[in-house]
Amino acid sequence: MIENSMFEEEPDIVDLAKDSTAYPTFPSLDPDEVVYEPRSSRLLVRGLGENDVDDDEEDCESSARLLGMSFMNRSSAQRSNSSPYARQAPPRSCSPPSARTTVVCVLFLVIVASMTMVLYFLPGCTFTKKGCPKPENKTSNGTDDELFPWAEFRLPRSISPLSYDLTLSPDFNNMAFTGHTVINMSVLHNTKRIVLHSANLNITKATFKLGDGDASEVNILEYKPRQQIAVKFSEELKAGQNCVLTLDYTADLSHTYSGFYNSSYTDEDGNKRVLAATQFEPLYARMAFPCFDEPLFKATFKVKINRKPEYMTLSNMPKVKTTLLPNGFMQDEFAKTNVKMSTYLLAFIVGNFTSTSKNISDIVVSVYSVPEKRDHTDYALDTASKLLEFYNDFFEIKYPLQKLDLVGIPDFLAGAMENWGLITFRETTLLVGRQSSPMEKQVVASVIAHELAHQWFGNLVTMSWWSDLWLNEGFATYMQYMSLQKVLPQLDIGNLFLAMRFRAMDKDALNSSHAVSTEVNTAEQVEEMFDSVSYEKGASILLMLNASLPGDQQFRKGIIQYLKQFSGLNTDTGDLWNSLTEVEVPNQHPNVSEMMGSWTYQKGFPLVTVSRKGDQVTLTQEHFLLKSDDTSHSSSMWTVPVTYMNDSCSLSPECAQLFTLSTKSGTFKVPESVKWLKLNYKNTGFYIVDYGDDGWGALRDALSNNVKVLTQEDRASLIHNIFSLSKLGRVSFRQVLSLLNYMPNETETSPVREALLQLNNIYHLLYKRYEQGLVTRMKLYILKQFGALMENQTWTKEESVSKQELRSALLETACYLGEEKCTQQAKTLFKQYVDSNGTTQIPGDLQQVVFSVAARSIDDWGTLLNMYRYATYDSEKQKILQGLASTQDTGSIIWLLSAGLHGNVIPTQELPLVISTVCRSFPGNLFAWDFIQENWNQLIEKFPVGSFAIQRIIKSATSQFSTQSHLNQVQSFLSSLKERGSQLRSVQEALDTIRLNQRWMERNLPSFHKWL
């Protein structure tokens, strides 16, 4: 449980905000804020080690002038008490203690030493500052000699739940709840134990009934480290018997974003409103009721919730009746689920919501929001209705429940959660106003499409264990893009899908990556499965498979067969490939199970190298693995469906020819007259291509002569591939710049955005190393290559999503680099917006750049903060927050980080976003990294170890470090975490990334000096 007040002393940053005229007036924070002092940020200025700093190279005062950080001044006289990082220095001298004081101290030490010896020699006790720990596997409420009857992370398979009957009574006055759970079970194998999950529940009574026998009280054993409880029996339960376990319990409402958690928001009249909601995926249903909390244990659920009359409730099923209780509460009873489902899909909400609804194919579709945002629900309702009809037809299986609710929760960590029949969302991913831009609607439609796809992939057919999470998330991600291309083509989702595939490859190229289907044995490993490999790589390999199959219906037939065959059941990866293999395909196509097994059971992806001699083309594959040393590559092999086209036909799908590369190398023939080859049509395959010097030169010349000779997806693919090969050391940076020479003629979204992203990454690496000369040259290079296109962008309303994506990328880069026309226009728009009290609208796709420029001014930063506090439109509020976090003012940065951790002014759910945005600037990165180190324990209390939020925080703070000193600092801190995070895959990813950045920069710095 997380306490609201976690800190001991009043933050100096509050005093800074109040006392200094240089800063805006910040909202007051409670006196339980954190004070932290950067331990080593000075060394990050140029990545120098402690022994590397000298007066000639980089002293503390020059660092302070660079960053404006008072804590870096070497002179203690210059450190004012209002410094956000200052602590009182210890006195430099002290008077000798009196004789009486000495005697008292000696006596105290003798007593402490005696107690220590007594505790030390107690049998079975290891003295620690926490006292004597319980013996391993002993129960927390059993007798001292009673061992817990199970020693595995996963539950035994001897008992299976059939149904749950839950009654819950939340108490908002005390932020607690009581529960009554009845579990009907079937005995599958003879056993003397029942083991299930429970976390932070105080079980007050438990009874057990076997068959038609009488119920009797039983003793509950608990093993807290694995969140398991058990009942032991003297006689075996026999296979085929049914039994009932009834448990009464109390618990606190969770103060995190997991389990049955409390939340609050401020309504339009300034009143605080309280609600309670659930988030059970992956391991948190056990925080609300005792249960078999693994995906394999499907059951039916019946839910009753007791509430005060002023609240309303929702659950997965429709409400069937409401009863007035003797204590004045109302009891809402929901229908029993007509499908079996895993515990993580159960959901219930208690609060004040209003809805808009419509009937689609006898299904009531409703969108719920807090009352003042009811006008923002229309787009979500219309989109959900269209997508529900599409999925019903596409899967040839009707949505099985009677209703489909979509609820915007004011305080929600994930983007959304696919609870069957009661999908929960962040407000920013569900609610859009009438003035919303097409890009904002694209975000909402994408999330809705993803969650609705889960109603089939994940809910109807569920992975057996989290090791195959991709069967849920990869499919939902793939269907989200595929469905929107069909249902809402005006959203132009293709650019987003392409960029997503590029980013998935970037992560999967690291040695710290993992197979799509991989072993999972701890809670932290379960959390870490929710990453780009399960989502984006999973979707990418499904796209590749679909593109390699003949026609446009073979893939669909296979997944329909899969859904029908395993409806209501649990599956693993092999079940999917077997279903697709059973669909008839031409003999020349490789066996789907054999082909796709190479993509799901080993990490990474191939590098396909092209060489050509006359009419013969030779393709060779190897593992594309970014490493920081020269060790040999792995021997991994893939069955690669290679598509290729040439200069005679390169634009239409009919131009793409297929060659299956299933061995180390393979050959095919093309006419000798062919001038160039381009592999991986529209980047539908999950591999990178190296064309060799001649091949790259031919493609470069072709683009210089006619930019339209390839599709925009293929041009973006070339840009991504050559930057990736540069990281691998296969091409020089001069070759990268040579390909980019065509960019002044480029006008399409995907290639421009990919080029800008790659160049901005290099810019930030140089910036964080304080390579000032190269930073200036890189800035001039970017403005030269894209200046004309930046100049051509408008600042008025634009309806095309693709054009919005293009101009937002261009103008954000231009203004970030300080291009004068861009910054002036942004300032003008912001002034008009403020002067008109918000009646003059800033186009949604330009709000980010406008607010970021405004944040550079102390006065405008204060204006933005005031706007943030009173904004009601969620998408705009998030962009204001990103603008606030774009400041380089150190006082503002510190305040933002602390406010996000505290959670009153800035919701804690937004802290990962604040950190990632703050880290874009040099001083912000330093402060954020120190903040993370000093507040790690609080962060992992708010966000589970291994969760996507923690992954994002680590990556944001470390991904642009590139020196040995950076590496030493990060490695030292992360390794010190031990069970608090050192074992995480994201930790290894951070270290891999720093090493790769270091190696790449050292290899290419001379080229930068020569060619930029």
Side-chain angles (χ1 to χ4, degrees), residues 281 379 686:
E281 189 180 35
Y379 181 77
F686 201 72

Side-chain angles (χ1 to χ4, degrees), residues 752-928:
V752 169
R753 291 188 70 176
E754 184 61 23
L756 284 175
L757 181 144
Q758 298 288 353
L759 292 170
N760 280 327
N761 284 343
I762 297 172
Y763 177 88
H764 281 102
L765 285 172
L766 294 169
Y767 179 41
K768 301 296 174 65
R769 291 174 67 100
Y770 201 56
E771 295 281 353
Q772 291 287 63
L774 290 176
V775 167
T776 301
R777 290 158 74 172
M778 177 59 76
K779 168 185 171 180
L780 294 175
Y781 173 80
I782 294 173
L783 293 177
K784 176 185 176 183
Q785 292 294 95
F786 300 95
L789 199 54
M790 291 171 175
E791 182 79 19
N792 291 336
Q793 300 308 303
T794 65
W795 291 77
T796 55
K797 190 174 182 179
E798 171 61 64
E799 293 299 329
S800 165
V801 174
S802 183
K803 290 181 179 178
Q804 284 192 350
E805 292 171 335
L806 176 65
R807 79 171 177 183
S808 64
L810 286 164
L811 295 179
E812 283 177 22
T813 297
C815 283
Y816 182 79
L817 296 178
E819 199 277 323
E820 186 174 357
K821 183 177 179 180
C822 182
T823 55
Q824 287 302 320
Q825 186 64 45
K827 290 177 181 177
T828 299
L829 275 183
F830 184 72
K831 186 175 187 303
Q832 292 173 353
Y833 180 79
V834 172
D835 291 346
S836 69
N837 290 322
T839 57
T840 300
Q841 292 294 315
I842 302 171
D845 61 302
L846 298 180
Q847 288 177 349
Q848 180 66 68
V849 63
V850 170
F851 295 149
S852 295
V853 170
R856 298 177 187 176
S857 158
I858 292 296
D859 291 338
D860 286 344
W861 194 93
T863 303
L864 272 175
L865 181 59
N866 201 48
M867 288 166 52
Y868 177 80
R869 296 185 68 189
Y870 295 102
T872 56
Y873 178 40
D874 301 294
S875 178
E876 181 180 60
K877 188 164 187 171
Q878 192 173 70
K879 290 170 187 171
I880 294 172
L881 180 59
Q882 287 179 277
L884 289 167
S886 299
T887 181
Q888 296 200 32
D889 174 71
T890 56
S892 302
I893 291 169
I894 298 165
W895 185 88
L896 279 168
L897 293 169
S898 295
L901 186 66
H902 188 271
N904 280 351
V905 180
I906 298 171
T908 300
Q909 69 183 35
E910 301 291 3
L911 184 57
L913 174 66
V914 170
I915 290 174
S916 65
T917 308
V918 159
C919 285
R920 291 189 66 193
S921 75
F922 185 36
N925 204 167
L926 303 184
F927 276 100

Side-chain angles (χ1 to χ4, degrees), residues 602-844:
Q602 60 183 354
K603 70 180 179 182
F605 57 88
L607 165 64
V608 176
T609 302
V610 185
S611 61
R612 185 178 168 195
K613 188 173 183 180
D615 63 349
Q616 182 168 292
V617 178
T618 300
L619 304 183
T620 305
Q621 68 161 299
E622 61 186 281
H623 187 177
F624 187 96
L625 181 62
L626 295 176
K627 300 181 299 180
S628 56
D629 55 36
D630 295 317
T631 56
S632 60
H633 285 275
S634 72
S635 58
S636 301
M637 297 282 290
W638 290 261
T639 300
V640 190
V642 177
T643 51
Y644 63 95
M645 56 277 189
N646 59 50
D647 57 292
S648 65
C649 183
S650 59
L651 298 175
S652 69
E654 293 73 25
C655 296
Q657 300 180 65
L658 179 65
F659 176 81
T660 301
L661 180 62
S662 56
T663 56
K664 177 70 175 177
S665 63
T667 61
F668 60 87
K669 292 190 175 184
V670 298
E672 287 195 40
S673 60
V674 167
K675 297 178 181 177
W676 51 260
L677 286 172
K678 165 66 175 70
L679 274 60
N680 201 0
Y681 178 67
K682 290 194 172 182
N683 208 80
T684 54
F686 201 72
Y687 55 92
I688 281 175
V689 184
D690 184 4
Y691 298 92
D693 291 346
D694 292 341
W696 280 113
L699 287 166
R700 178 195 64 219
D701 293 343
L703 288 175
S704 298
N705 293 330
N706 178 13
V707 71
K708 301 293 185 181
V709 74
L710 292 171
T711 66
Q712 69 154 323
E713 294 91 345
D714 284 307
R715 301 197 300 273
S717 174
L718 290 176
I719 293 168
H720 175 262
N721 280 201
I722 201 164
F723 273 100
S724 298
L725 291 167
S726 173
K727 295 174 187 175
L728 193 64
R730 288 294 188 95
V731 301
S732 67
F733 191 68
R734 183 182 182 186
Q735 287 175 281
V736 174
L737 296 179
S738 181
L739 179 68
L740 294 184
N741 283 339
Y742 96 93
M743 289 307 297
N745 297 322
E746 182 61 81
T747 59
E748 296 293 340
T749 302
S750 285
V752 169
R753 291 188 70 176
E754 184 61 23
L756 284 175
L757 181 144
Q758 298 288 353
L759 292 170
N760 280 327
N761 284 343
I762 297 172
Y763 177 88
H764 281 102
L765 285 172
L766 294 169
Y767 179 41
K768 301 296 174 65
R769 291 174 67 100
Y770 201 56
E771 295 281 353
Q772 291 287 63
L774 290 176
V775 167
T776 301
R777 290 158 74 172
M778 177 59 76
K779 168 185 171 180
L780 294 175
Y781 173 80
I782 294 173
L783 293 177
K784 176 185 176 183
Q785 292 294 95
F786 300 95
L789 199 54
M790 291 171 175
E791 182 79 19
N792 291 336
Q793 300 308 303
T794 65
W795 291 77
T796 55
K797 190 174 182 179
E798 171 61 64
E799 293 299 329
S800 165
V801 174
S802 183
K803 290 181 179 178
Q804 284 192 350
E805 292 171 335
L806 176 65
R807 79 171 177 183
S808 64
L810 286 164
L811 295 179
E812 283 177 22
T813 297
C815 283
Y816 182 79
L817 296 178
E819 199 277 323
E820 186 174 357
K821 183 177 179 180
C822 182
T823 55
Q824 287 302 320
Q825 186 64 45
K827 290 177 181 177
T828 299
L829 275 183
F830 184 72
K831 186 175 187 303
Q832 292 173 353
Y833 180 79
V834 172
D835 291 346
S836 69
N837 290 322
T839 57
T840 300
Q841 292 294 315
I842 302 171

Side-chain angles (χ1 to χ4, degrees), residues 213-263:
D214 296 329
S216 59
E217 285 201 35
V218 291
N219 184 40
I220 297 294
L221 310 177
E222 182 174 21
Y223 187 61
K224 290 185 177 180
R226 287 195 299 270
Q227 301 179 335
Q228 293 173 355
I229 59 174
V231 180
K232 292 170 67 174
F233 303 96
S234 58
E235 296 184 5
E236 278 192 336
L237 306 177
K238 302 298 183 181
Q241 291 181 315
N242 287 341
C243 52
V244 180
L245 183 63
T246 302
L247 303 114
D248 294 315
Y249 54 96
T250 62
D252 290 326
L253 289 168
S254 171
H255 296 294
T256 68
Y257 295 100
S258 304
F260 190 21
Y261 72 92
N262 75 80
S263 178

